[in-house]
Amino acid sequence: MGQCCCAGSRLFVEEKVYDEFVSKCADRAKRRLLGDPFDPATIQGPQVDREQFDKILNYIEKGKEQGAELLAGGGRYGDRGYFVEPTVFAGVKDDMVI
């Protein structure tokens, strides 16, 4: 049907603005409204299925295990559906899985 997922997962930020950028990015992630994708107020809906949900949570765990700094999110949102909190890491190195 022509759908396309364009989920950018990594940003390279100039060192002189890094701290401010990361702080603002984490704050913004914490304010994202998760919920029913048919509700116009919703910014982020659930993952498509359990497989994708588990894959994302596994990546988050790998990021923490490998020493990336978790600044926002990192877990399941709610107790129904496949919602993942908007997640922001800092200090990610090129050799990390995430």
Coordinates of all heavy atoms in Angstrom, one line a residue:
M1 N 0.8 -1.2 0.0 CA 0.0 0.0 0.0 C 0.9 1.3 0.0 O 0.3 2.3 0.1 CB -1.0 0.0 1.2 CG -2.0 -1.1 1.1 SD -3.3 -1.1 2.3 CE -3.9 0.5 2.2
G2 N 2.2 1.1 0.0 CA 3.0 2.3 -0.2 C 3.5 2.9 1.1 O 4.1 4.0 1.1
Q3 N 3.2 2.3 2.3 CA 3.7 2.9 3.5 C 5.2 2.9 3.5 O 5.8 2.0 3.0 CB 3.2 2.2 4.7 CG 1.7 2.4 5.0 CD 0.9 1.3 4.3 OE1 1.3 0.6 3.4 NE2 -0.4 1.1 4.8
C4 N 5.8 3.8 4.2 CA 7.2 3.9 4.3 C 7.5 4.3 5.8 O 7.0 5.3 6.3 CB 7.8 4.9 3.4 SG 9.6 5.2 3.5
C5 N 8.4 3.6 6.4 CA 8.9 4.0 7.8 C 10.2 4.6 7.6 O 11.2 4.0 7.2 CB 8.9 2.7 8.7 SG 9.5 3.1 10.3
C6 N 10.3 5.8 8.1 CA 11.6 6.6 8.1 C 11.9 7.0 9.5 O 11.6 8.1 9.9 CB 11.5 7.8 7.2 SG 11.1 7.4 5.5
A7 N 12.4 6.0 10.2 CA 12.7 6.3 11.7 C 14.2 6.5 11.9 O 15.0 5.6 12.0 CB 12.3 5.0 12.5
G8 N 14.5 7.8 11.8 CA 15.9 8.2 12.1 C 16.3 7.8 13.5 O 15.5 8.0 14.5
S9 N 17.4 7.1 13.7 CA 17.8 6.6 15.0 C 19.0 7.2 15.5 O 19.4 7.0 16.7 CB 17.9 5.1 14.9 OG 19.0 4.8 13.9
R10 N 19.8 8.0 14.8 CA 21.0 8.5 15.3 C 21.2 9.9 14.7 O 21.0 10.2 13.6 CB 22.2 7.6 14.8 CG 23.5 8.1 15.4 CD 24.6 7.1 15.1 NE 24.4 5.9 15.8 CZ 25.3 5.0 16.1 NH1 26.5 5.2 15.7 NH2 25.0 3.9 16.7
L11 N 21.7 10.8 15.6 CA 22.0 12.2 15.2 C 23.4 12.5 15.6 O 23.9 12.1 16.7 CB 21.1 13.2 16.0 CG 19.6 13.1 15.8 CD1 18.9 14.0 16.8 CD2 19.3 13.4 14.4
F12 N 24.1 13.1 14.7 CA 25.5 13.6 15.0 C 25.3 15.1 15.3 O 24.8 15.9 14.4 CB 26.4 13.4 13.9 CG 26.7 11.9 13.7 CD1 25.9 11.1 12.8 CD2 27.7 11.3 14.4 CE1 26.1 9.8 12.7 CE2 27.9 9.9 14.2 CZ 27.1 9.2 13.3
V13 N 25.8 15.6 16.5 CA 25.6 16.9 16.9 C 27.0 17.6 17.1 O 27.8 17.0 17.8 CB 24.7 17.0 18.2 CG1 24.5 18.4 18.6 CG2 23.4 16.3 17.9
E14 N 27.1 18.8 16.7 CA 28.3 19.6 16.9 C 28.6 19.7 18.4 O 27.7 20.0 19.2 CB 28.2 20.9 16.2 CG 29.5 21.7 16.2 CD 29.4 23.0 15.3 OE1 28.4 23.2 14.6 OE2 30.3 23.8 15.4
E15 N 29.9 19.5 18.7 CA 30.3 19.5 20.1 C 29.9 20.7 20.9 O 29.4 20.6 22.1 CB 31.8 19.3 20.2 CG 32.3 19.0 21.6 CD 33.7 18.6 21.6 OE1 34.4 18.7 20.6 OE2 34.2 18.2 22.7
K16 N 30.0 21.9 20.3 CA 29.7 23.1 21.1 C 28.2 23.3 21.4 O 27.9 24.0 22.4 CB 30.2 24.4 20.3 CG 29.5 24.7 19.1 CD 30.1 25.9 18.4 CE 29.4 26.3 17.1 NZ 30.0 27.4 16.5
V17 N 27.3 22.6 20.8 CA 25.9 22.7 21.1 C 25.4 21.4 21.6 O 24.2 21.2 21.9 CB 25.0 23.2 19.9 CG1 25.4 24.6 19.5 CG2 25.1 22.2 18.8
Y18 N 26.2 20.4 21.8 CA 25.8 19.0 22.2 C 25.0 19.0 23.5 O 23.9 18.5 23.5 CB 27.0 18.1 22.3 CG 26.7 16.7 22.7 CD1 26.3 15.8 21.7 CD2 26.8 16.3 24.0 CE1 26.0 14.5 22.1 CE2 26.5 15.0 24.4 CZ 26.1 14.1 23.4 OH 25.7 12.8 23.8
D19 N 25.5 19.5 24.6 CA 24.8 19.4 25.8 C 23.4 20.1 25.8 O 22.4 19.5 26.3 CB 25.6 20.1 27.0 CG 26.9 19.3 27.3 OD1 26.9 18.1 27.0 OD2 27.9 19.9 27.8
E20 N 23.3 21.2 25.2 CA 22.0 21.9 25.1 C 21.1 21.1 24.2 O 19.9 21.0 24.5 CB 22.2 23.3 24.6 CG 20.9 24.1 24.5 CD 21.1 25.5 23.9 OE1 22.2 25.9 23.5 OE2 20.0 26.2 23.8
F21 N 21.6 20.7 23.1 CA 20.7 19.9 22.1 C 20.2 18.6 22.8 O 19.0 18.3 22.7 CB 21.5 19.6 20.9 CG 20.7 18.8 19.9 CD1 19.9 19.4 19.0 CD2 20.7 17.4 19.9 CE1 19.2 18.7 18.1 CE2 20.0 16.6 19.0 CZ 19.2 17.3 18.1
V22 N 21.1 17.9 23.4 CA 20.7 16.6 24.0 C 19.6 16.9 25.1 O 18.7 16.1 25.3 CB 21.9 15.8 24.6 CG1 21.5 14.7 25.4 CG2 22.7 15.4 23.4
S23 N 19.8 17.9 25.9 CA 18.9 18.2 27.0 C 17.5 18.6 26.4 O 16.5 18.1 26.9 CB 19.4 19.4 27.8 OG 18.5 19.8 28.8
K24 N 17.5 19.4 25.4 CA 16.2 19.8 24.8 C 15.6 18.5 24.1 O 14.3 18.4 24.1 CB 16.4 20.9 23.8 CG 16.7 22.2 24.4 CD 16.9 23.3 23.4 CE 17.1 24.7 24.1 NZ 17.1 25.8 23.2
C25 N 16.3 17.7 23.5 CA 15.8 16.5 22.8 C 15.2 15.6 23.9 O 14.1 15.1 23.7 CB 16.9 15.8 22.1 SG 16.4 14.4 21.1
A26 N 15.8 15.4 25.0 CA 15.3 14.5 26.1 C 14.0 15.1 26.6 O 13.0 14.4 26.8 CB 16.3 14.3 27.1
D27 N 14.0 16.4 26.9 CA 12.8 17.1 27.4 C 11.6 16.9 26.4 O 10.5 16.7 26.8 CB 13.1 18.6 27.6 CG 14.0 18.8 28.8 OD1 14.1 17.9 29.6 OD2 14.5 19.9 28.9
R28 N 11.9 17.1 25.1 CA 10.8 17.0 24.1 C 10.3 15.5 24.1 O 9.1 15.3 24.0 CB 11.4 17.4 22.8 CG 10.3 17.4 21.7 CD 10.8 18.0 20.4 NE 9.7 18.1 19.5 CZ 9.6 19.0 18.5 NH1 10.6 19.8 18.4 NH2 8.6 19.0 17.7
A29 N 11.2 14.6 24.2 CA 10.7 13.2 24.2 C 9.8 12.9 25.4 O 8.8 12.2 25.2 CB 12.0 12.2 24.2
K30 N 10.2 13.4 26.5 CA 9.3 13.2 27.7 C 8.0 13.8 27.6 O 7.0 13.4 28.3 CB 10.1 13.8 28.9 CG 11.3 13.1 29.3 CD 12.1 13.8 30.4 CE 13.4 13.1 30.7 NZ 14.3 13.9 31.6
R31 N 7.8 14.8 26.7 CA 6.5 15.5 26.6 C 5.6 14.9 25.5 O 4.5 15.3 25.3 CB 6.7 16.9 26.3 CG 7.2 17.7 27.5 CD 7.1 19.2 27.3 NE 7.6 19.7 26.0 CZ 8.8 20.1 25.7 NH1 9.7 20.1 26.6 NH2 9.1 20.5 24.5
R32 N 6.2 13.9 24.7 CA 5.4 13.3 23.6 C 4.2 12.6 24.1 O 4.2 11.9 25.1 CB 6.3 12.3 22.8 CG 7.3 13.0 21.9 CD 8.1 12.0 21.2 NE 7.4 11.3 20.2 CZ 7.2 11.7 18.9 NH1 7.8 12.8 18.5 NH2 6.5 11.0 18.1
L33 N 3.1 12.8 23.4 CA 1.8 12.2 23.8 C 1.6 10.9 23.1 O 1.6 10.8 21.8 CB 0.6 13.1 23.5 CG -0.7 12.6 23.8 CD1 -0.8 12.4 25.3 CD2 -1.8 13.6 23.4
L34 N 1.6 9.8 23.8 CA 1.4 8.5 23.3 C -0.1 8.1 23.4 O -0.7 8.5 24.4 CB 2.3 7.4 24.0 CG 3.7 7.4 23.6 CD1 4.5 8.6 24.1 CD2 4.3 6.1 24.1
G35 N -0.6 7.3 22.5 CA -1.9 6.8 22.6 C -2.5 6.3 21.3 O -1.8 5.9 20.4
D36 N -3.8 6.4 21.3 CA -4.6 5.9 20.1 C -4.2 6.7 18.8 O -4.3 7.9 18.8 CB -6.1 6.2 20.4 CG -7.0 5.8 19.3 OD1 -6.5 5.4 18.2 OD2 -8.2 5.8 19.5
P37 N -3.7 5.9 17.9 CA -3.2 6.6 16.6 C -4.3 7.3 15.8 O -4.0 8.1 15.0 CB -2.6 5.4 15.8 CG -3.1 4.2 16.4 CD -3.5 4.5 17.8
F38 N -5.6 7.0 16.2 CA -6.7 7.7 15.5 C -7.1 9.0 16.2 O -7.9 9.7 15.7 CB -7.9 6.7 15.3 CG -7.5 5.5 14.5 CD1 -7.4 4.3 15.1 CD2 -7.4 5.6 13.1 CE1 -7.0 3.2 14.3 CE2 -7.0 4.6 12.3 CZ -6.9 3.3 12.9
D39 N -6.5 9.2 17.3 CA -6.8 10.5 18.1 C -5.9 11.5 17.5 O -4.6 11.4 17.5 CB -6.6 10.2 19.6 CG -6.8 11.5 20.4 OD1 -6.9 12.6 19.9 OD2 -7.0 11.3 21.6
P40 N -6.4 12.6 17.0 CA -5.6 13.7 16.4 C -4.5 14.3 17.4 O -3.5 14.8 17.0 CB -6.6 14.8 16.0 CG -7.9 14.1 15.9 CD -7.8 12.9 16.9
A41 N -4.8 14.2 18.7 CA -3.8 14.7 19.7 C -2.6 13.8 19.9 O -1.6 14.2 20.4 CB -4.6 14.9 21.0
T42 N -2.7 12.6 19.5 CA -1.7 11.6 19.7 C -0.5 11.9 18.7 O -0.6 12.1 17.6 CB -2.1 10.1 19.4 OG1 -3.2 9.8 20.4 CG2 -1.0 9.1 19.5
I43 N 0.7 11.8 19.3 CA 1.9 12.1 18.6 C 2.6 10.7 18.2 O 3.2 10.6 17.1 CB 3.0 12.9 19.4 CG1 2.4 14.2 19.8 CG2 4.3 13.1 18.6 CD1 2.0 15.1 18.6
Q44 N 2.5 9.7 19.1 CA 3.1 8.4 18.8 C 2.2 7.3 19.2 O 1.7 7.3 20.3 CB 4.4 8.4 19.7 CG 5.1 7.1 19.6 CD 6.4 7.1 20.4 OE1 7.1 8.1 20.4 NE2 6.8 6.0 21.0
G45 N 2.0 6.4 18.3 CA 1.1 5.2 18.5 C 2.0 4.0 19.0 O 3.2 4.2 19.2
P46 N 1.4 2.9 19.0 CA 2.1 1.7 19.4 C 2.9 1.1 18.3 O 2.8 1.5 17.1 CB 0.9 0.7 19.7 CG -0.1 1.1 18.7 CD 0.0 2.6 18.6
Q47 N 3.8 0.1 18.6 CA 4.5 -0.6 17.6 C 3.6 -1.6 16.9 O 2.5 -1.9 17.4 CB 5.7 -1.4 18.3 CG 6.6 -0.6 19.1 CD 7.1 0.6 18.3 OE1 7.7 0.4 17.2 NE2 7.0 1.8 18.7
V48 N 3.9 -2.0 15.7 CA 3.0 -2.8 14.9 C 2.7 -4.1 15.5 O 1.6 -4.6 15.2 CB 3.6 -2.9 13.5 CG1 4.9 -3.7 13.4 CG2 2.6 -3.4 12.5
D49 N 3.6 -4.8 16.2 CA 3.4 -6.1 16.7 C 4.3 -6.4 17.9 O 5.3 -5.6 18.2 CB 3.4 -7.2 15.7 CG 4.8 -7.3 14.9 OD1 5.8 -6.8 15.5 OD2 4.8 -7.8 13.8
R50 N 4.1 -7.5 18.5 CA 5.0 -7.9 19.7 C 6.4 -8.1 19.3 O 7.3 -7.7 20.0 CB 4.4 -9.2 20.2 CG 5.2 -9.8 21.4 CD 4.9 -8.8 22.6 NE 5.7 -9.1 23.7 CZ 5.3 -9.0 24.9 NH1 4.1 -8.7 25.2 NH2 6.1 -9.3 25.9
E51 N 6.7 -8.6 18.1 CA 8.0 -8.8 17.6 C 8.8 -7.5 17.6 O 9.9 -7.4 18.0 CB 8.0 -9.5 16.2 CG 9.4 -9.8 15.7 CD 9.4 -10.4 14.3 OE1 8.3 -10.8 13.8 OE2 10.5 -10.6 13.8
Q52 N 8.2 -6.5 17.0 CA 8.9 -5.1 16.9 C 9.0 -4.5 18.3 O 10.1 -3.9 18.6 CB 8.1 -4.2 16.0 CG 8.8 -2.9 15.7 CD 10.1 -3.1 15.0 OE1 10.4 -4.1 14.3 NE2 11.0 -2.1 15.1
F53 N 8.0 -4.7 19.1 CA 8.0 -4.2 20.5 C 9.2 -4.8 21.3 O 10.0 -4.1 21.9 CB 6.7 -4.5 21.2 CG 6.6 -4.2 22.6 CD1 6.3 -2.9 23.1 CD2 6.7 -5.2 23.6 CE1 6.2 -2.7 24.4 CE2 6.6 -5.0 24.9 CZ 6.3 -3.7 25.3
D54 N 9.3 -6.1 21.2 CA 10.4 -6.8 21.9 C 11.8 -6.4 21.3 O 12.8 -6.3 22.1 CB 10.3 -8.3 21.8 CG 9.1 -8.8 22.6 OD1 8.6 -8.1 23.6 OD2 8.6 -9.9 22.4
K55 N 11.9 -6.2 20.0 CA 13.1 -5.9 19.4 C 13.6 -4.5 19.9 O 14.8 -4.3 20.2 CB 12.9 -5.8 17.8 CG 14.2 -5.5 17.0 CD 13.8 -5.6 15.6 CE 15.0 -5.4 14.7 NZ 14.7 -5.5 13.3
I56 N 12.7 -3.5 20.0 CA 13.1 -2.2 20.4 C 13.5 -2.2 21.9 O 14.5 -1.7 22.3 CB 11.9 -1.2 20.2 CG1 11.6 -1.0 18.8 CG2 12.1 0.1 21.0 CD1 10.3 -0.3 18.4
L57 N 12.8 -2.9 22.7 CA 13.1 -3.0 24.1 C 14.5 -3.7 24.3 O 15.3 -3.4 25.2 CB 12.1 -3.7 25.0 CG 10.7 -3.0 25.1 CD1 9.7 -3.8 25.9 CD2 11.0 -1.6 25.7
N58 N 14.8 -4.7 23.4 CA 16.1 -5.4 23.5 C 17.2 -4.4 23.1 O 18.3 -4.4 23.8 CB 16.1 -6.6 22.5 CG 17.4 -7.3 22.6 OD1 17.8 -7.7 23.7 ND2 18.0 -7.5 21.4
Y59 N 17.0 -3.6 22.1 CA 18.0 -2.5 21.7 C 18.2 -1.6 22.9 O 19.3 -1.2 23.2 CB 17.6 -1.8 20.5 CG 17.9 -2.4 19.2 CD1 16.9 -2.8 18.3 CD2 19.3 -2.7 18.9 CE1 17.3 -3.4 17.1 CE2 19.6 -3.3 17.7 CZ 18.6 -3.7 16.8 OH 18.9 -4.3 15.6
I60 N 17.2 -1.2 23.6 CA 17.3 -0.3 24.7 C 18.1 -0.9 25.8 O 19.0 -0.3 26.4 CB 15.9 0.1 25.2 CG1 15.2 1.0 24.2 CG2 16.0 0.9 26.6 CD1 13.7 1.3 24.5
E61 N 17.9 -2.2 26.1 CA 18.7 -2.9 27.1 C 20.2 -3.0 26.7 O 21.1 -2.8 27.5 CB 18.1 -4.3 27.4 CG 16.9 -4.3 28.2 CD 17.0 -3.5 29.5 OE1 17.9 -3.7 30.3 OE2 16.1 -2.6 29.7
K62 N 20.4 -3.2 25.4 CA 21.8 -3.3 24.9 C 22.5 -1.9 25.1 O 23.7 -1.9 25.4 CB 21.8 -3.7 23.4 CG 21.4 -5.1 23.2 CD 22.6 -6.0 23.5 CE 22.2 -7.4 23.1 NZ 23.1 -8.4 23.6
G63 N 21.8 -0.9 24.8 CA 22.3 0.5 24.9 C 22.8 0.7 26.4 O 23.9 1.2 26.6
K64 N 21.9 0.3 27.3 CA 22.2 0.5 28.8 C 23.4 -0.4 29.1 O 24.3 0.1 29.8 CB 21.0 0.2 29.6 CG 19.9 1.3 29.4 CD 18.8 1.1 30.5 CE 17.9 -0.1 30.2 NZ 16.7 -0.1 31.1
E65 N 23.4 -1.6 28.7 CA 24.5 -2.6 29.0 C 25.8 -2.1 28.5 O 26.9 -2.3 29.1 CB 24.2 -3.9 28.5 CG 23.1 -4.7 29.2 CD 22.6 -5.9 28.4 OE1 23.3 -6.3 27.4 OE2 21.6 -6.5 28.8
Q66 N 25.8 -1.5 27.3 CA 27.1 -1.0 26.7 C 27.5 0.3 27.1 O 28.5 0.9 26.6 CB 26.9 -1.1 25.2 CG 26.8 -2.6 24.7 CD 26.7 -2.7 23.2 OE1 26.2 -1.8 22.5 NE2 27.1 -3.8 22.7
G67 N 26.8 1.0 28.1 CA 27.3 2.2 28.7 C 26.7 3.5 28.1 O 27.2 4.6 28.5
A68 N 25.8 3.4 27.2 CA 25.1 4.7 26.7 C 24.3 5.3 27.9 O 23.8 4.5 28.7 CB 24.2 4.4 25.5
E69 N 24.2 6.5 27.9 CA 23.5 7.2 29.0 C 22.0 7.4 28.6 O 21.7 8.1 27.6 CB 24.1 8.6 29.2 CG 23.4 9.4 30.3 CD 24.0 10.8 30.5 OE1 24.9 11.1 29.8 OE2 23.6 11.4 31.4
L70 N 21.1 6.8 29.3 CA 19.7 6.9 29.0 C 19.1 8.1 29.7 O 19.2 8.3 30.9 CB 19.0 5.6 29.6 CG 17.4 5.6 29.4 CD1 17.1 5.5 28.0 CD2 16.9 4.4 30.2
L71 N 18.7 9.0 28.8 CA 18.2 10.4 29.3 C 16.7 10.5 29.3 O 16.1 11.3 30.1 CB 18.7 11.5 28.4 CG 20.2 11.6 28.3 CD1 20.6 12.7 27.3 CD2 20.8 11.8 29.6
A72 N 16.0 9.6 28.6 CA 14.5 9.7 28.6 C 14.0 8.3 28.1 O 14.6 7.6 27.3 CB 14.0 10.8 27.6
G73 N 12.8 8.0 28.7 CA 12.2 6.7 28.3 C 12.9 5.5 28.6 O 13.4 5.4 29.7
G74 N 12.8 4.5 27.7 CA 13.6 3.3 27.9 C 12.7 2.1 28.4 O 13.2 1.1 28.7
G75 N 11.4 2.3 28.4 CA 10.6 1.2 28.9 C 9.2 1.2 28.2 O 8.9 1.9 27.2
R76 N 8.4 0.2 28.6 CA 7.1 0.1 28.1 C 6.2 1.3 28.6 O 6.4 1.7 29.7 CB 6.5 -1.2 28.6 CG 5.1 -1.4 28.2 CD 4.5 -2.7 28.8 NE 3.2 -3.0 28.1 CZ 2.9 -4.1 27.5 NH1 3.8 -5.1 27.6 NH2 1.8 -4.2 26.9
Y77 N 5.3 1.7 27.8 CA 4.4 2.8 28.2 C 3.0 2.1 28.4 O 2.5 1.5 27.5 CB 4.3 3.8 27.1 CG 3.3 4.9 27.4 CD1 3.6 5.9 28.3 CD2 2.0 4.9 26.8 CE1 2.6 6.9 28.6 CE2 1.1 5.8 27.1 CZ 1.4 6.9 28.0 OH 0.4 7.8 28.3
G78 N 2.4 2.2 29.6 CA 1.1 1.7 29.9 C 1.2 0.2 30.1 O 2.3 -0.4 30.1
D79 N 0.0 -0.4 30.2 CA 0.0 -1.9 30.4 C -0.8 -2.6 29.3 O -1.1 -3.8 29.5 CB -0.6 -2.2 31.8 CG -2.0 -1.6 32.0 OD1 -2.5 -1.0 31.1 OD2 -2.5 -1.8 33.1
R80 N -1.2 -1.9 28.3 CA -1.9 -2.5 27.2 C -1.2 -2.1 25.9 O -0.7 -1.0 25.7 CB -3.3 -2.1 27.1 CG -4.2 -2.6 28.3 CD -5.6 -2.1 28.2 NE -6.0 -1.6 26.9 CZ -7.2 -1.9 26.3 NH1 -8.1 -2.5 27.0 NH2 -7.4 -1.4 25.1
G81 N -1.2 -3.0 24.9 CA -0.7 -2.7 23.6 C 0.8 -2.7 23.6 O 1.5 -3.1 24.6
Y82 N 1.4 -2.3 22.5 CA 2.9 -2.4 22.3 C 3.5 -1.0 22.2 O 4.2 -0.6 21.3 CB 3.2 -3.2 21.0 CG 2.6 -4.6 21.0 CD1 1.8 -5.0 20.0 CD2 2.9 -5.4 22.0 CE1 1.3 -6.3 20.0 CE2 2.4 -6.7 22.1 CZ 1.6 -7.1 21.0 OH 1.1 -8.4 21.1
F83 N 3.2 -0.2 23.3 CA 3.8 1.1 23.3 C 5.1 1.2 24.0 O 5.3 0.5 25.0 CB 2.8 2.0 24.1 CG 1.5 2.3 23.5 CD1 0.4 1.4 23.7 CD2 1.3 3.4 22.7 CE1 -0.8 1.7 23.1 CE2 0.1 3.6 22.0 CZ -1.0 2.7 22.3
V84 N 6.1 1.9 23.4 CA 7.4 2.1 23.9 C 7.6 3.6 24.2 O 7.3 4.4 23.3 CB 8.5 1.6 23.0 CG1 9.9 1.8 23.5 CG2 8.3 0.1 22.7
E85 N 8.1 3.9 25.4 CA 8.3 5.3 25.7 C 9.3 5.9 24.7 O 10.2 5.2 24.3 CB 8.9 5.4 27.1 CG 8.0 5.0 28.2 CD 8.7 4.9 29.5 OE1 9.9 4.6 29.6 OE2 8.1 5.2 30.5
P86 N 9.1 7.1 24.3 CA 10.1 7.8 23.5 C 11.4 7.8 24.2 O 11.5 8.1 25.4 CB 9.6 9.2 23.4 CG 8.1 9.1 23.6 CD 8.0 8.0 24.6
T87 N 12.5 7.3 23.6 CA 13.7 7.0 24.3 C 14.9 7.8 23.7 O 15.0 7.9 22.4 CB 14.0 5.5 24.2 OG1 12.9 4.8 24.7 CG2 15.3 5.2 24.9
V88 N 15.7 8.4 24.5 CA 16.8 9.2 24.1 C 18.1 8.7 24.9 O 18.0 8.7 26.1 CB 16.6 10.7 24.3 CG1 17.9 11.5 24.0 CG2 15.4 11.2 23.6
F89 N 19.1 8.4 24.1 CA 20.4 8.1 24.7 C 21.4 9.1 24.4 O 21.3 9.8 23.3 CB 20.9 6.7 24.1 CG 20.3 5.5 24.7 CD1 19.4 4.8 24.0 CD2 20.8 5.0 25.9 CE1 18.8 3.6 24.5 CE2 20.3 3.8 26.4 CZ 19.3 3.1 25.8
A90 N 22.4 9.3 25.2 CA 23.5 10.2 24.9 C 24.8 9.4 25.1 O 24.8 8.3 25.8 CB 23.5 11.4 25.8
G91 N 25.9 9.9 24.6 CA 27.2 9.2 24.8 C 27.3 7.9 24.1 O 28.0 7.0 24.5
V92 N 26.6 7.8 23.0 CA 26.6 6.5 22.2 C 27.9 6.5 21.3 O 28.2 7.5 20.7 CB 25.4 6.4 21.3 CG1 25.4 5.2 20.4 CG2 24.1 6.4 22.1
K93 N 28.6 5.4 21.3 CA 29.8 5.2 20.6 C 29.5 4.4 19.3 O 28.5 3.6 19.3 CB 30.9 4.5 21.4 CG 31.1 5.1 22.7 CD 31.9 6.4 22.6 CE 32.3 6.9 23.9 NZ 31.8 8.2 24.3
D94 N 30.3 4.6 18.3 CA 30.0 3.9 17.0 C 30.0 2.4 17.1 O 29.4 1.7 16.3 CB 31.0 4.3 15.9 CG 30.8 5.7 15.4 OD1 29.6 6.2 15.6 OD2 31.7 6.3 14.9
D95 N 30.7 1.8 18.1 CA 30.8 0.3 18.2 C 29.6 -0.2 19.0 O 29.6 -1.5 19.2 CB 32.1 -0.1 18.7 CG 32.4 0.4 20.1 OD1 31.7 1.3 20.6 OD2 33.3 -0.1 20.8
M96 N 28.7 0.6 19.5 CA 27.6 0.1 20.3 C 26.5 -0.4 19.4 O 26.4 0.1 18.3 CB 27.0 1.2 21.2 CG 27.9 1.6 22.3 SD 27.2 3.0 23.2 CE 28.4 3.2 24.5
V97 N 25.8 -1.4 19.8 CA 24.7 -2.0 19.0 C 23.7 -1.0 18.6 O 23.2 -1.0 17.5 CB 24.1 -3.2 19.8 CG1 22.8 -3.7 19.1 CG2 25.0 -4.3 20.0
I98 N 23.4 -0.1 19.5 CA 22.3 0.9 19.2 C 22.9 1.9 18.3 O 22.2 2.7 17.7 CB 21.7 1.6 20.4 CG1 22.7 2.3 21.3 CG2 21.0 0.5 21.3 CD1 22.2 3.2 22.3

